[in-house]
Amino acid sequence: MVARSWNETQGAAFADQIDPIERLRRLRRLAGIARVMDTAIRIPGTGIRFGADSIMGLVPLVGDAGGAMVGLYIVNEARRLGIPPSKLAQMVGNIALDGVVGSVPMVGDLFDVFFKSHRRNLQIILDHFGVHPDELHQRR
């Protein structure tokens, strides 16, 4: 078995091999996951939106760990798409902050409603590829 370490040139070369249509399909899937986790439900009469991450966070430790696992899936997909390590580190930092602060009783539940780590990470990915969020909803 040959051990390979990831470096920026290998990641960029792999990312260039991904068909633009396949990349868009992956970005749409990640956008859907981020939406479900962070903004799927709107409180009527307010601009406040929350998602499964906030609801799962109500279950002590297990809920926040589950939200972090979903976040790590998004980071892994970003890595596979060729996002550079510095941006991946920023994405992991968003997940860590959400997981650590989110695990504090009561305060963490409120924090989860307003700090949307999955949406932030999706935006990092979209900015890297120069994709506007509206482009994810257009049909070809």
Side-chain angles (χ1 to χ4, degrees), residues 1-137:
M1 175 187 268
V2 176
R4 292 182 59 190
S5 62
W6 190 90
N7 68 37
E8 197 163 330
T9 57
Q10 286 175 334
F14 177 73
D16 291 341
Q17 295 173 2
I18 296 175
D19 179 36
I21 295 172
E22 173 65 16
R23 180 185 306 143
L24 184 60
R25 187 181 67 77
R26 288 182 183 190
L27 292 175
R28 284 180 176 159
R29 183 177 59 235
L30 294 178
I33 293 169
R35 181 184 172 281
V36 166
M37 292 301 290
D38 287 339
T39 60
I41 303 166
R42 184 176 63 86
I43 298 174
T46 69
I48 298 173
R49 298 183 73 88
F50 63 95
D53 192 29
S54 298
I55 295 169
M56 290 172 19
L58 295 173
V59 179
L61 296 176
V62 175
D64 292 308
M69 294 302 288
V70 173
L72 290 175
Y73 169 77
I74 293 173
V75 172
N76 186 52
E77 277 296 306
R79 180 192 61 81
R80 293 177 63 205
L81 286 169
I83 301 292
S86 61
K87 291 182 181 181
L88 293 174
Q90 184 181 1
M91 292 171 69
V92 169
N94 286 337
I95 295 167
L97 180 64
D98 188 20
V100 169
V101 178
S103 65
V104 176
M106 301 301 286
V107 173
D109 298 329
L110 186 62
F111 179 77
D112 277 341
V113 171
F114 294 102
F115 186 79
K116 301 178 181 340
S117 63
H118 304 93
R119 299 291 292 189
R120 288 173 185 259
N121 289 345
L122 175 66
Q123 193 59 52
I124 290 170
I125 297 168
L126 295 179
D127 288 346
H128 176 76
F129 291 114
V131 176
H132 192 275
D134 292 338
E135 292 178 46
L136 298 176
H137 305 294

